[in-house]
């Protein structure tokens, strides 16, 4: 089975402590049929190592009948800052993870949702992967507006 890899970090770039009991879930879009196999709609979970690395064996989705992909769901526990109780947290990564025979990293395989009609702003020019949005660069004395190719100016 193809291997899909990723590294999980906090928004500040640090590893998530083991006490958070982090689980990364790969949830199929549904049951699907490959050339010689049936794949039931069953999620696969992985726990990152101390460095935040995960490696998951997932069924290939690019050679199946119909349209199939995985959603990535992240679950963890935190401690409430006032009450001290353990509370559950959950997030879902937007996009569809399509798995080819060779596998690969989540960053290479994830299809991001279309951002058409969105206005974003940031400090500096837009990242190369960002397209089909209006982007406002706030880093200079004047605002610089980046627009999709073919947009009316």
């Amino acid at each position: 089975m193809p291997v899909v890899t990723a590294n999980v970090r906090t928004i500040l770039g640090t590893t998530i402590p083991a006490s958070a009991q982090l689980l990364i879930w790969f949830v199929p879009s549904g049951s699907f049929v490959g050339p010689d196999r049936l794949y039931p709609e069953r999620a696969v979970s992985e726990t990152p190592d101390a460095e935040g690395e995960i490696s998951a064996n997932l069924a290939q989705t690019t050679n199946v009948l119909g349209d199939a992909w995985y959603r990535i769901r992240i679950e963890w526990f935190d401690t409430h800052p006032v009450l001290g109780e353990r509370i559950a947290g959950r997030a879902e990564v937007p996009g569809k993870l399509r798995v080819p025979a060779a596998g690969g990293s989540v960053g290479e395989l994830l299809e991001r949702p279309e951002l058409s009609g969105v206005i974003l702003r940031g400090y500096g020019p837009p990242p190369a992967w960002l397209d089909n949005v209006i982007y406002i660069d706030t880093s200079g004395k004047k605002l610089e507006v980046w627009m999709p190719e073919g947009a009316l100016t």
Side-chain angles (χ1 to χ4, degrees):
M1 284 189 137
V3 175
V4 175
T5 60
N7 185 285
V8 185
R9 299 283 174 157
T10 69
I11 197 75
L12 300 174
T14 60
T15 56
I16 296 172
S19 62
Q21 296 176 327
L22 189 67
L23 274 178
I24 311 302
W25 288 93
F26 297 91
V27 182
S29 57
S31 297
F32 49 94
V33 177
D36 59 352
R37 292 198 172 108
L38 298 173
Y39 296 99
E41 186 177 348
R42 184 170 185 210
V44 173
S45 67
E46 291 293 331
T47 301
D49 66 14
E51 300 300 316
E53 298 289 333
I54 63 166
S55 180
N57 290 310
L58 301 175
Q60 181 179 352
T61 62
T62 57
N63 69 336
V64 299
L65 298 175
D67 194 18
W69 66 88
Y70 292 92
R71 293 185 326 273
I72 302 172
R73 189 174 68 221
I74 305 169
E75 295 177 349
W76 67 90
F77 287 100
D78 277 326
T79 302
H80 191 281
V82 176
L83 302 175
E85 298 172 346
R86 304 258 302 155
I87 52 175
R90 181 178 173 176
E92 191 159 315
V93 176
K96 297 175 179 179
L97 180 68
R98 299 193 189 272
V99 181
S105 74
V106 167
E108 296 168 345
L109 304 178
L110 190 69
E111 290 180 1
R112 291 180 286 274
E114 184 66 40
L115 295 175
S116 182
V118 174
I119 300 174
L120 300 175
R121 64 184 170 91
Y123 195 81
W129 57 264
L130 190 64
D131 60 357
N132 215 17
V133 300
I134 297 173
Y135 180 89
I136 302 171
D137 176 4
T138 60
S139 65
K141 291 183 181 182
K142 289 181 158 184
L143 297 178
E144 186 171 350
V145 178
W146 303 71
M147 301 195 59
E149 191 173 317
L152 298 174
T153 56

